[in-house]
Amino acid sequence: MLKRINKAIVSKKNKDVVTMANAMFVEKSSKLEAPFVARNKDVFQCKVWNVSFESPASACDSINAWAKNETRGMIDNLLSPDLINSALTKMVLVNALYFKGLWKSRFRPENTKKRTFVAADGKSYQVPMLAQLSLFQSGSTSTPSGLWYNFIELPYHGDSISMLIALPSESSTPLSAIIPHISTKTIDSWKSMMVPKRVQVILPKFTAVTQTDLKEPLKALGIVDMFDPLKANFAKISSTFSLKLILQFVKTVL
């Protein structure tokens, strides 16, 4: 299943540039079990790189250089030395996904100009904004507390991938008020409410960076033993070092 998903994500049928890369950075004095390495290579096309975690800064440089290369320079600071324990860290698993797509309905460069943007802190800033008038799938709904917001779908050229944007209907409503309401279930419900409308879209150029601890989400999926030092068993990964606990996080740059 994972092989099929990976193949579908990077398929050239998407007409968008999508690349996925996986790597295992392992303490150079350690050796991984051959079946584990072979399985990861087969399913994830995952390579193994040897580093010395005794030198956190050097190890981070190697990992960050790999991430920068695989994401075409977009992610150049994935890991910081303070996340590595020189005595305890034995392995770092890294996944990098790079996407570059063209909008199906393109924004013309000449329509981009500085406009007023109100940030989360309530302050107004002049920032470059894209603009276009076109036909988009869109709709509106409210949170259980009665806060109304609009949503719109901006498809990419390949039609298989799109960006969904939500915006409070009232300018006085902060985005943070509707974020807790948005989930996979919420987004699925948007699809049934969307209708084609001619919409004037004004969108700021932006960069988004977020870091998420995966420990609780994984536990919610039933993956709990790996976080219990008394139950965790990673013997099939390596017999030369003892893995007791794996802490995972994901860092996303958009």
Side-chain angles (χ1 to χ4, degrees):
M1 178 61 73
L2 287 171
K3 288 178 71 174
R4 287 199 294 270
I5 292 174
N6 290 343
K7 187 176 180 179
I9 289 174
V10 300
S11 172
K12 291 183 179 179
K13 292 181 180 179
N14 290 329
K15 298 181 181 179
D16 297 306
V17 180
V18 185
T19 60
M20 181 183 293
N22 299 287
M24 292 184 284
F25 291 86
V26 185
E27 174 59 44
K28 63 180 182 180
S29 61
S30 304
K31 183 179 180 180
L32 300 181
E33 295 296 310
F36 175 75
V37 174
R39 188 67 168 166
N40 274 278
K41 184 177 181 180
D42 177 48
V43 178
F44 301 108
Q45 293 77 53
C46 185
K47 294 182 179 181
V48 178
W49 302 86
N50 291 318
V51 296
S52 175
F53 291 117
E54 292 181 358
S55 175
S58 177
C60 279
D61 286 344
S62 298
I63 295 171
N64 288 333
W66 176 90
K68 182 177 182 178
N69 181 64
E70 296 295 339
T71 61
R72 307 189 187 190
M74 293 300 294
I75 301 177
D76 58 3
N77 187 27
L78 179 69
L79 207 62
S80 57
D82 60 292
L83 291 173
I84 292 179
N85 185 307
S86 59
L88 298 177
T89 302
K90 300 298 180 182
M91 177 191 291
V92 172
L93 309 179
V94 187
N95 163 261
L97 182 64
Y98 174 85
F99 168 79
K100 182 178 181 179
L102 295 174
W103 297 114
K104 185 176 181 179
S105 179
R106 301 189 186 180
F107 292 89
R108 295 183 179 277
E110 60 268 24
N111 292 336
T112 299
K113 61 182 181 180
K114 287 190 175 183
R115 301 173 189 262
T116 302
F117 179 80
V118 181
D121 59 10
K123 295 180 180 179
S124 296
Y125 299 89
Q126 292 294 307
V127 300
M129 287 197 176
L130 314 171
Q132 68 165 293
L133 176 64
S134 190
L135 192 68
F136 294 102
Q137 290 287 115
S138 60
S140 62
T141 188
S142 65
T143 67
S145 61
L147 294 175
W148 282 87
Y149 63 94
N150 305 314
F151 49 86
I152 190 170
E153 179 180 15
L154 303 183
Y156 289 98
H157 180 62
D159 276 332
S160 60
I161 301 175
S162 60
M163 177 182 286
L164 294 172
I165 299 175
L167 179 71
S169 300
E170 299 293 333
S171 59
S172 58
T173 302
L175 185 62
S176 58
I178 66 171
I179 287 177
H181 166 66
I182 298 176
S183 65
T184 303
K185 185 177 180 180
T186 309
I187 293 173
D188 284 340
S189 72
W190 292 353
K191 297 176 183 178
S192 63
M193 293 185 279
M194 284 184 175
V195 294
K197 291 181 182 178
R198 198 164 180 79
V199 180
Q200 172 76 22
V201 177
I202 300 176
L203 184 68
K205 288 186 174 182
F206 67 92
T207 297
V209 179
T210 181
Q211 184 168 306
T212 307
D213 189 335
L214 294 182
K215 188 173 182 180
E216 293 308 316
L218 287 172
K219 282 186 174 182
L221 290 172
I223 304 173
V224 294
D225 286 358
M226 67 182 289
F227 298 109
D228 187 337
L230 298 178
K231 295 181 180 180
N233 183 354
F234 301 106
K236 291 185 178 180
I237 294 179
S238 175
S239 58
T240 61
F241 61 86
S242 178
L243 288 175
K244 293 297 184 181
L245 185 66
I246 293 183
L247 298 178
Q248 302 188 29
F249 73 91
V250 58
K251 181 175 183 179
T252 305
V253 177
L254 178 63

